[in-house]
Amino acid sequence: MAMAALRREGKRFALTSPNPINVLRSSLAPSEEQMSLGVRGISTQIVRNRMKSVKSIQKITKAMKMVAASKLRAIQVRAENSRGLWQPFTALLGDTPSVDVKKNVIVTISSDKGLCGGINSTSVKISRAMYRLTSGPDKESTYVILGEKAKAQLIRDSRKFIELSITELQKNFLNYTQVSVLADEILKNVEYDALRVVFNKFQSVVSFLPTTATILSPEVVEREAEAGGKLGDLDAYEIEGGETKSEILQNLTEFQFSCVMFNAVLENACSEQGARMSAMDSSSRNAGEMLDRLTLTYNRTRQASITTELIEIISGASALEG
């Protein structure tokens, strides 16, 4: 009798539900309405997968922080030593960013890689502001870009004003010889009255200062010296040897530009590693906070499912006793 009743119930279930396995799966899977109710509708498997992803991201950010810290220690000493190269030129030829010239070339130094805070955006903002200040009806301003990140930003609205673009600058170990070749390449391809180098000067791991260095052409230096301006003291020096004053100024200008470029590239690379180290430290802390929240959600979800199962067991036992 009992077996016959079970067979009748099985036939009735088969007639009302063509695929009972799909019905069972759909009843167990949480719906969107259940997901929106809170922790009770969230699957513990989803939370575990999310926790696993956050842990992987945290490992990557911690590793990137350690790599940036090791690179920073290697570059910082070289950047500090390179400051003594361009300081004598500042004392001799001066640094006059307010000089009024017709042809301005803005040399923007940035990084090739991201995840280093806002140092590249800061360089681009300073370069655009410099372009607006130095451009006019009878003036001409152009860009020379070093680094992929500044190129990607400036090419959007200033493509026709970019004369030269150089990327992958920090792919190899930089020394003065390589930077001097790069500076010579820039001088050969651009016509200028003033070169304005925009870079980030390293101060500490969490601080960098946007800086602009101005290098004047030999003609402008001679004109300013004769006018008795800030470069008027240049005529106080005596020239020995067979070279003329214009030839000496030409050599001094080229040497000054290569020294400023060498220091600017190292300072910007040092700022990049410091900013990346700080950014990865913040990312690791944020990942840890997210992991704590996910752990709390997982525990609540698991506790809710256990409580539901206990209620069902107790309710079934009470029904059997009654």
Side-chain angles (χ1 to χ4, degrees), residues 58-260:
Q58 190 179 36
K59 288 180 181 178
I60 294 172
T61 54
K62 287 183 177 180
M64 292 182 67
K65 177 186 174 182
M66 294 176 62
V67 172
S70 63
K71 290 183 178 180
L72 176 62
R73 286 192 294 269
I75 300 175
Q76 185 176 357
V77 177
R78 299 176 61 212
E80 292 174 353
N81 293 335
S82 67
R83 293 173 185 172
L85 290 174
W86 58 269
Q87 290 173 352
F89 290 101
T90 303
L92 177 63
L93 302 176
D95 190 354
T96 54
S98 60
V99 64
D100 188 16
V101 295
K102 292 184 178 180
K103 294 182 180 180
N104 293 275
V105 177
I106 303 170
V107 183
T108 305
I109 300 177
S110 66
S111 64
D112 291 316
K113 298 179 181 180
L115 300 177
C116 53
I119 63 168
N120 297 317
S121 299
T122 303
S123 298
V124 171
K125 288 179 182 178
I126 298 296
S127 300
R128 285 173 174 165
M130 186 70 66
Y131 178 83
R132 289 192 294 268
L133 290 173
T134 57
S135 60
D138 55 344
K139 297 179 182 179
E140 180 184 357
S141 295
T142 55
Y143 289 106
V144 172
I145 303 174
L146 277 70
E148 185 66 36
K149 293 302 177 179
K151 177 184 176 182
Q153 296 186 46
L154 289 173
I155 204 171
R156 299 172 187 170
D157 55 354
S158 306
R159 181 188 294 269
K160 60 181 179 180
F161 302 115
I162 299 176
E163 287 197 5
L164 187 62
S165 176
I166 302 171
T167 58
E168 297 184 357
L169 183 63
Q170 301 176 16
K171 188 175 181 179
N172 299 319
F173 183 80
L174 285 175
N175 52 30
Y176 179 77
T177 304
Q178 294 176 342
V179 176
S180 61
V181 172
L182 179 64
D184 187 58
E185 185 71 18
I186 294 174
L187 294 176
K188 288 179 179 178
N189 288 276
V190 298
E191 295 181 0
Y192 70 97
D193 291 330
L195 292 163
R196 304 182 186 273
V197 184
V198 179
F199 63 98
N200 295 285
K201 186 176 181 180
F202 178 78
Q203 290 186 319
S204 66
V205 177
V206 295
S207 177
F208 57 89
L209 181 65
T211 307
T212 302
T214 305
I215 297 95
L216 303 178
S217 65
E219 295 79 13
V220 176
V221 171
E222 193 169 0
R223 184 191 68 189
E224 292 291 323
E226 292 175 356
K230 295 182 180 180
L231 303 179
D233 296 337
L234 189 62
D235 292 332
Y237 295 92
E238 296 182 359
I239 300 175
E240 297 180 356
E243 295 183 347
T244 62
K245 182 179 179 180
S246 60
E247 292 175 348
I248 291 177
L249 287 177
Q250 179 72 30
N251 295 332
L252 283 175
T253 302
E254 294 178 359
F255 190 32
Q256 179 190 13
F257 180 57
S258 63
C259 292
V260 170

